[in-house]
Amino acid sequence: MSHLVKKTQDSLKSIILNAVKKAVAAGTLPCDAESSFNIEVPADRLNGDFSSNAALAWARDFRMSPKKIAQEICANLDFEDTYFDKAEVAGPGFLNFYLNQRYYADILLDIKEKGKNYGRSDYGKGEKINVEFVSANPTGPMHMGNARGGALGDCLAAVLDFAGYDVTREFYVNDAGNQIDKFAMSLDIRYQQIYKGENFVELPEDSYHGEDIKECARDFADSYGDKYLDVDEQERRKALVDHVLPKNIQAMKDNLLKYRIEYDKWFHESVLYNNGELEQTLEVMKSKDLTYEKDGALWYKATEHGGEKDEVLVRANGNPTYFAADIAYHRNKLAVRKFDKAINIWGADHHGHVARIKGALDAIGVDGERLDIILMQLVRLTRDGEVVRMSKRTGKAITLTDLLEDIPIDAVRFLFNMREPSSQMEFDLDLAVEQSAKNPVYYCQYAHARICSIHKKLNSENIFPRECTQEELELLTMPEEKELIRHLSSLTDEIITAAKNYDPARITRYTVELATLLHKFYNSCRVKCGDEPLMQARLFLCDCVRSTIKNALDMFKITVPESM
RNA sequence: GCGCUUGUAGCUCAGUAGGAUAGAGCAACUGCCUUCUAAGCAGUAGGCCGUGGGUUCGAAUCCCUCCAAGCGUGCCA
């Protein structure tokens, strides 16, 4: 799936090199160029549609001033049968190139032909990527922090998919290990308190104190009454967990679905305990002499593999640590299920874990480079100018459900993808709700609705869009029209760059810019203008803008209303 | 203490694998609807790119110093 922009840029390189050859033959340049040079899109349109730093890059090779070199190249350019019609030397020696109208017409025809596939490419063809995100602890409800990770992960996966990768969206369910034991204990105590009073047993410091635990215990009691009070503690706790955990997991699925996130795979940590992979992983580590025993626990010699200190793998009480399970889990992703790449989205508070897990993977012979961790700064919520602490302890966490009830999902998904993950964002709840009508997402949706409105209006006057010829599309010569087309043309590259950099925020910014250009066009060029071919060409352009906005927002599962 | 991340307009952020005069949005101010949606457009104002040095034709961008903020440094996850 070649795309026009790339092809045009590549052709420009050979056009320049040919000019150099001609100049060398004519004796006006000393020798062929060696240093590499770039074709770029200048920030300022006054500097052309494409520019090249070739002359600057070759100043040393040629022992000539960049400006002189640029003039020589310029004089020898041959634009016969290309999309260019002129070039200029500017500034210290930049070569600026200007596209002809045929290029703009062909861009539009290309967009129209690709339709809803416009923006897709095969850049990542053949590569299997696993994107794991949210992976909230099933011991309680999801909170605001998970909202950012959810929007980020889902949209990153979408971007990778559009760029041609084979993407799997995955949720890691921590349904085993220590925290489940604590969860069971907390539930058990709350359950007993229902019948024996709050003072009967006290909740230890390191248990879950949230209100949600009480509700879960109450729910269990509603189903089974007090019949578990007298059974063996282990059996009672197992019954509690078996009852509550699936419900919690289902609640997370429901919530995420409301948030328009659908996973391909819910991977349960317990699987690693049951299928022997955790055990195997520990055996591999032992056999590679990566472990030792101390104080009754099994330790990993992390310090010998770039770590700051050694880490416990199996506690003295026999329970494996989260770290041990995590090694087994990533070994599963990369070595068992054979993903070429695994991307994890983690809260920045887990950053200390990054080097450890990669180092451990390297140590067991799985290339840690294949694991990419995106650290996302946690969202700091403020309300009435004060920071809202999200503590699970106090049970005051703002849940994902609360958030989705307050702020439209389109807005949340868009907003969380406006900034790079590494930015520490402050999120004023009141402002987010209050300003929702001014949210950039509405600005983009409005552009789409406006175009639909033009169509409706013209339809009511019995004017309908028709196919346009290349010649007709070449009538779009206003600066606002050309800007718009140029921006339309960059979607595919934008998606590829977003995929390369793991930065879906590029797409929201792209869409805002597209909306801006549409609004500018709308204010300076009337579609219904009395000139039939021009009107049809503008309708064609509008249609391309509409489908491009739709493709971009569809990709992020954000709705595109036809009227607002 | 050590480690990771971040410092760009009053606020929230861009700045594309050094490039041409550092850009948007919000907030403020001034204009534009008898003509396809004013949820829009045009304009004004606002900056020692945290500090100090270095690298080169050229640095917000790369290297080092320092300052500030957030987080981490559990037999928690």
Side-chain angles (χ1 to χ4, degrees):
Chain A
M1 223 186 287
S2 65
H3 63 282
L4 209 45
V5 184
K6 182 101 178 42
K7 262 164 59 180
T8 308
Q9 285 195 29
D10 288 347
S11 77
L12 192 49
K13 279 202 168 184
S14 42
I15 290 171
I16 293 172
L17 290 171
N18 284 337
V20 173
K21 278 209 180 84
K22 267 176 73 179
V24 171
T28 51
L29 284 179
C31 54
D32 276 341
E34 285 189 6
S35 303
S36 65
F37 64 101
N38 294 326
I39 304 294
E40 349 182 293
V41 178
D44 190 335
R45 290 303 167 200
L46 291 174
N47 294 320
D49 298 313
F50 290 110
S51 77
S52 177
N53 65 347
L56 286 95
W58 294 333
R60 193 173 291 168
D61 298 358
F62 293 168
R63 296 171 162 276
M64 284 172 71
S65 84
K67 201 152 190 163
K68 190 90 179 57
I69 299 171
Q71 282 161 355
E72 282 308 324
I73 294 173
C74 206
N76 285 287
L77 288 167
D78 178 9
F79 290 141
E80 185 77 31
D81 230 14
T82 71
Y83 280 126
F84 300 95
D85 59 11
K86 64 167 180 163
E88 286 169 1
V89 178
F94 285 101
L95 284 162
N96 296 338
F97 297 87
Y98 295 83
L99 293 158
N100 59 30
Q101 282 301 124
R102 191 155 61 84
Y103 176 80
Y104 291 90
D106 281 356
I107 288 286
L108 293 179
L109 290 168
D110 183 53
I111 291 171
K112 186 78 161 190
E113 189 203 316
K114 295 209 168 95
K116 64 179 202 245
N117 285 324
Y118 178 62
R120 286 190 181 270
S121 67
D122 59 3
Y123 176 80
K125 193 178 174 186
E127 202 167 327
K128 270 178 69 181
I129 299 194
N130 180 293
V131 184
E132 183 215 318
F133 57 103
V134 181
S135 298
N137 209 310
T139 53
M142 288 181 294
H143 53 81
M144 263 294 288
N146 301 127
R148 186 177 189 181
L152 194 60
D154 196 40
C155 293
L156 172 62
V159 160
L160 291 168
D161 175 43
F162 264 63
Y165 292 92
D166 178 1
V167 181
T168 296
R169 289 172 170 82
E170 181 154 316
F171 189 114
Y172 183 44
V173 185
N174 302 120
D175 64 340
N178 220 36
Q179 83 277 5
I180 291 297
D181 292 346
K182 280 189 189 174
F183 182 50
M185 175 189 69
S186 310
L187 284 170
D188 188 18
I189 292 169
R190 291 303 192 192
Y191 174 61
Q192 295 189 52
Q193 284 178 344
I194 290 172
Y195 296 99
K196 300 178 181 174
E198 294 248 341
N199 298 326
F200 177 70
V201 233
E202 216 171 293
L203 228 41
E205 253 308 293
D206 63 342
S207 60
Y208 297 106
H209 288 235
E211 285 300 311
D212 54 292
I213 301 287
K214 281 190 189 172
E215 285 166 29
C216 292
R218 167 66 64 188
D219 183 70
F220 179 80
D222 287 346
S223 299
Y224 299 98
D226 61 0
K227 76 177 215 193
Y228 275 95
L229 278 183
D230 296 324
V231 305
D232 171 63
E233 178 184 277
Q234 213 177 333
E235 193 185 326
R236 183 171 62 241
R237 290 186 176 183
K238 185 177 183 310
L240 275 157
V241 169
D242 286 349
H243 177 80
V244 173
L245 206 57
K247 286 196 174 191
N248 276 3
I249 293 170
Q250 190 56 48
M252 290 199 301
K253 283 187 187 180
D254 293 345
N255 261 312
L256 287 163
L257 213 54
K258 264 188 223 151
Y259 197 28
R260 300 176 194 152
I261 296 175
E262 222 169 326
Y263 286 93
D264 300 298
K265 178 83 179 168
W266 289 74
F267 190 98
H268 289 243
E269 183 181 356
S270 56
V271 167
L272 299 166
Y273 282 71
N274 298 330
N275 73 358
E277 281 188 40
L278 177 54
E279 192 65 27
Q280 273 170 33
T281 305
L282 291 173
E283 286 308 318
V284 169
M285 295 183 80
K286 281 182 201 163
S287 72
K288 288 184 184 280
D289 194 29
L290 299 169
T291 64
Y292 62 91
E293 295 203 19
K294 194 181 92 183
D295 303 331
L298 182 70
W299 293 73
Y300 160 56
K301 299 173 181 172
T303 36
E304 292 180 10
H305 299 272
E308 283 175 47
K309 54 179 188 45
D310 290 349
E311 304 284 340
V312 171
L313 292 169
V314 181
R315 298 184 182 85
N317 67 9
N319 284 343
T321 58
Y322 173 85
F323 183 52
D326 223 23
I327 298 170
Y329 175 45
H330 288 98
R331 179 173 166 269
N332 172 281
K333 279 186 191 171
L334 295 170
V336 179
R337 283 188 284 160
K338 299 197 187 322
F339 283 100
D340 295 298
K341 196 133 233 174
I343 301 174
N344 292 358
I345 296 182
W346 285 354
D349 53 337
H350 287 65
H351 67 75
H353 194 56
V354 175
R356 279 201 286 277
I357 184 79
K358 287 189 172 207
L361 287 172
D362 280 336
I364 61 168
V366 178
D367 183 9
E369 285 291 304
R370 285 162 58 203
L371 172 66
D372 280 322
I373 312 264
I374 297 175
L375 291 175
M376 169 193 75
Q377 291 291 335
L378 298 180
V379 185
R380 256 206 348 195
L381 279 182
T382 57
R383 180 172 265 167
D384 299 330
E386 276 182 38
V387 176
V388 182
R389 288 303 304 179
M390 291 186 296
S391 165
K392 275 199 172 175
R393 277 286 173 71
T394 59
K396 266 190 176 174
I398 292 179
T399 65
L400 185 65
T401 321
D402 297 339
L403 178 73
L404 298 183
E405 272 167 18
D406 283 350
I407 310 171
I409 294 169
D410 283 341
V412 183
R413 292 183 66 100
F414 199 91
L415 273 178
F416 278 129
N417 278 296
M418 286 281 296
R419 296 166 177 81
E420 285 182 7
S422 58
S423 69
Q424 298 169 203
M425 66 190 289
E426 210 163 276
F427 201 96
D428 189 319
L429 270 178
D430 302 312
L431 222 62
V433 181
E434 187 185 323
Q435 286 195 339
S436 62
K438 292 176 189 166
N439 189 297
V441 74
Y442 295 98
Y443 182 79
C444 299
Q445 291 174 325
Y446 183 53
H448 183 269
R450 248 186 168 169
I451 296 169
C452 294
S453 168
I454 295 172
H455 276 85
K456 269 181 235 156
K457 178 76 179 174
L458 293 182
N459 285 357
S460 74
E461 296 175 22
N462 269 320
I463 301 170
F464 296 94
R466 58 168 172 78
E467 292 303 308
C468 286
T469 63
Q470 196 185 43
E471 288 69 33
E472 283 171 330
L473 294 177
E474 287 182 18
L475 296 171
L476 301 171
T477 55
M478 294 280 287
E480 290 82 2
E481 294 165 334
K482 294 173 77 172
E483 283 289 320
L484 196 45
I485 298 170
R486 211 155 18 205
H487 193 64
L488 285 174
S489 75
S490 63
L491 178 66
T492 313
D493 276 333
E494 206 60 43
I495 293 174
I496 290 171
T497 308
K500 264 195 270 195
N501 299 343
Y502 298 159
D503 183 14
R506 298 187 74 94
I507 305 305
T508 52
R509 277 183 240 124
Y510 172 89
T511 312
V512 170
E513 177 67 15
L514 182 54
T516 299
L517 294 173
L518 183 276
H519 291 312
K520 286 185 183 189
F521 160 80
Y522 180 89
N523 277 277
S524 52
C525 309
R526 286 191 61 80
V527 175
K528 191 186 155 195
C529 58
D531 175 346
E532 206 275 341
L534 179 60
M535 177 180 70
Q536 284 296 340
R538 285 181 173 166
L539 267 175
F540 195 99
L541 170 59
C542 282
D543 205 46
C544 288
V545 175
R546 178 170 63 175
S547 70
T548 303
I549 292 177
K550 185 166 159 49
N551 286 0
L553 292 184
D554 272 357
M555 178 165 70
F556 280 9
K557 297 191 195 113
I558 293 169
T559 61
V560 273
E562 301 205 343
S563 68
M564 290 174 74

